Structures are given as C-alpha cells and as structure tokens.
Amino acid sequence: MKIISNPLALKEHLKDIDKTVGFVPTMGALHEGHIALIKRAKEENEVVVVSIFVNPTQFLAGEDLEKYPKKDEADKKICKLAGVDVLFFPNASDIYTQDEVKICAPNVRGYVLEGATRPGHFSGVLRVVMKLLNIVSPTRAYFGKKDAQQLNLIGLMVKQFFMSVEIVPVDIVRDSDGLALSSRNIYLSNEERKEALKIPKSLYIASQLIGKNIVHTQKIKKAMLEVLAPLSIEYVEVLNRDFEVIKEVEVGNTVILVEVIVGKTRLLDNIWL
Ligand code: AMP
C-alpha cells in the first residue's frame, strides 16, 4: 500500500492508470462501517484509494474538531489488511489555502435536518468532497447511507456540476446491539450507550408500524418520539428519497431519519424503506 500526502503527487501517481478506481473518503478512526465501503470498492474496481482527512471546514466553532478521534497507525494497518492500494493522508495545508473559491450547500436542502443544527456544515463537506474527487478522479466513490443527507447533497453536487463519477451508497453497518457504528461512539459512557439504543429501537418500531400498514408519517413520528423521549432530540423526519416531506410512507421511496444528542455526542441513524 502506498501512502501519499501531497495532492499533486497523488494525481501524478494515478495519472496514467488505465484501470477503474474506487474511492472511499473518510475522517479516520476506521471501523467496520468504513471497511464495508472499502470492501465494496474492492469488489467493483481494480484500484482502491482511501483518504483519511479530518476536514476542518465541516466543523462549526465549538464542535469536536480538536478532539475528533485519531488512530493513524491502527487506520494504516486496517487499510493495508483490507487491501487498499493507495492511502491519501493529507494535512489541512495540503488541501486548503487562503481566500479560496468555495462551493456552497444549497439554501434549502443544505440547511434542514443536520444542516439546521449545524449551519454551514454541508458547505464544508461539499467543499472537501469536491476537492477530493478532483484529486482522485475516481470511477466510483463510496458513501455510507448512515449520513443520508450528506449522501443526498453529494449526489446533487455531482449531478449539478456535471461531474464524471458514480456515487455508490452503502448500507449502514451496526454493532450487535443495533447501534449504527460511528467513530464518535467512543465518546459514549456505558450508560449513554444504553440510552443510545433507543435510536435503533425507534427505527425498529417505525418499521413494525409500516409492516402493519400504518403509513401515516405523523403517527410514525409520534411513536418514534415516544421511544426517544428522554433523549435530546434534534429531529425525527419521514421523507421521500429526494428529502421532501411526505404525508404517507411510500415503500421503495422513503427514508426515516433521526438525530439525537446523547450526553454531548451527536448520533445519526436512519432506515431506507
Ligand atoms: P466518516 O469517517 O465518519 O466521515 O465516514 C466516512 C464514510 O463512512 C461516510 O461515507 C460515512 O457515511 C461512512 N460510514 C460511517 N459509519 C458508517 C456505518 N456505520 N455504516 C456504513 N457507512 C458508514
């Protein structure tokens, strides 16, 4: 596995490669969720590039940028074992300069849900993803469904900027107790982790109601809020796959999203129906 930190060196390395390239952007502290993305990229491409970059522009003032988990050596081993060909490991100064051209998240879809509680977050995400995609020029790029709004906005960016990459969504990987894997789960105390299990439970209740043909979104939200009640709920939403509000679940075109704060930790989860 080659480790490269300079964007131009990476571009040079990939320049004449006449092979399909699968790209998995991450912020490190890798877990089975990231590994699922890498495995999928390996299945579908001849060369796999992973990036590890804790992107400062997607953190708001006062968020956990400084203490975001860092596991550089373990991450390198995981990538090597997973068969990654190139690990892109830049510093912030390799990616950003002063007074830059910027891309902005859309005014509506970038400022609802997580974008409402973290205004500007998705502009930072799109800014770095645009840069990373331009550096790697992959055939396909892999993103987790866990970050459903991020996935949706990246899809919009690629479409609206006529970019030549296929965005591949990958299913959520969960721990055996049902909690969606996240690099931030290590912030949770034992007690908080137990509380956090209300999140997958609320989604399970939603899917059970839908299984009984209760498809009215207000009823589903009410039942979910009852399960989540003691937690600090940022939002519970039932949307179609274009992220528009719907009155009734349309199976095959619905996503149910939850964001809660447990202790000080922001946790996201969702199901796609
Ligand atoms: P992060 O390092 O948290 O920025 O995540 C990098 C990529 O891994 C993103 O596309 C995430 O959506 C994806 N990801 C994170 N956790 C999971 C998970 N539990 N299952 C599937 N994909 C995930």
Side-chain angles (χ1 to χ4, degrees):
M1 182 178 78
K2 226 176 154 48
I3 302 179
I4 299 178
S5 63
N6 183 287
L8 296 179
L10 178 58
K11 269 180 101 75
E12 185 63 25
H13 179 73
L14 296 170
K15 192 176 68 175
D16 296 323
I17 225 163
D18 192 17
K19 290 179 175 165
T20 51
V21 175
F23 176 43
V24 181
T26 81
M27 299 209 298
L30 301 180
H31 51 65
E32 289 293 332
H34 299 112
I35 293 170
L37 269 63
I38 296 172
K39 277 191 185 147
R40 179 84 181 270
K42 272 201 81 70
E43 281 163 22
E44 298 178 352
N45 302 276
E46 293 158 289
V47 171
V48 171
V49 179
V50 170
S51 65
I52 295 181
F53 179 57
V54 181
N55 172 39
T57 63
Q58 71 188 66
F59 288 78
L60 271 59
E63 289 190 345
D64 58 343
L65 172 63
E66 303 307 330
K67 64 179 181 92
Y68 194 83
K70 262 200 165 306
K71 299 190 173 174
D72 295 354
E73 290 316 306
D75 286 349
K76 285 179 193 165
K77 280 190 195 136
I78 289 171
C79 286
K80 204 168 171 192
L81 285 172
V84 171
D85 299 288
V86 181
L87 177 58
F88 181 44
F89 218 125
N91 293 306
S93 58
D94 295 312
I95 299 292
Y96 292 113
T97 59
Q98 297 294 314
D99 193 26
E100 290 204 327
V101 176
K102 288 191 193 92
I103 174 168
C104 297
N107 285 340
V108 178
R109 280 178 280 192
Y111 288 85
V112 292
L113 305 169
E114 192 178 358
T117 52
R118 305 179 77 190
H121 165 69
F122 287 115
S123 292
V125 170
L126 295 179
R127 193 169 162 197
V128 79
V129 171
M130 168 77 93
K131 284 181 185 248
L132 292 171
L133 291 174
N134 284 337
I135 293 165
V136 178
S137 293
T139 320
R140 302 181 184 86
Y142 294 80
F143 293 89
K145 288 183 177 176
K146 186 173 84 71
D147 299 282
Q149 191 177 8
Q150 166 177 290
L151 175 62
N152 179 263
L153 291 171
I154 290 168
L156 288 181
M157 176 179 80
V158 164
K159 195 170 163 208
Q160 292 170 3
F161 282 78
F162 304 99
M163 296 166 74
S164 301
V165 56
E166 181 189 341
I167 300 299
V168 183
V170 180
D171 285 341
I172 298 179
V173 179
R174 298 175 179 282
D175 232 330
S176 52
D177 58 9
L179 190 65
L181 292 179
S182 162
S183 304
R184 289 190 167 103
N185 288 354
I186 59 160
Y187 298 152
L188 299 170
S189 67
N190 289 342
E191 205 44 50
E192 287 170 347
R193 200 187 154 95
K194 275 190 212 143
E195 285 291 290
L197 293 180
K198 295 192 167 94
I199 303 166
K201 191 173 169 203
S202 72
L203 291 167
Y204 176 70
I205 300 272
S207 64
Q208 282 212 319
L209 288 176
I210 293 159
K212 289 182 196 151
N213 215 21
I214 297 169
V215 290
H216 207 272
T217 54
Q218 287 305 333
K219 282 190 187 150
I220 294 167
K221 276 170 73 171
K222 186 165 174 276
M224 291 178 70
L225 288 167
E226 276 165 20
V227 176
L228 293 165
L231 304 177
S232 163
I233 302 163
E234 299 281 85
Y235 58 79
V236 172
E237 266 321 328
V238 184
L239 305 175
N240 69 17
R241 301 252 173 114
D242 290 322
F243 276 66
E244 293 158 343
V245 174
I246 46 175
K247 286 203 169 125
E248 290 194 349
V249 169
E250 304 155 18
V251 175
N253 186 28
T254 299
V255 54
I256 304 183
L257 305 111
V258 179
E259 181 185 322
V260 299
I261 310 275
V262 181
K264 287 187 176 160
T265 309
R266 178 185 306 278
L267 297 174
L268 299 179
D269 204 345
N270 59 70
I271 44 170
W272 299 52
L273 297 154

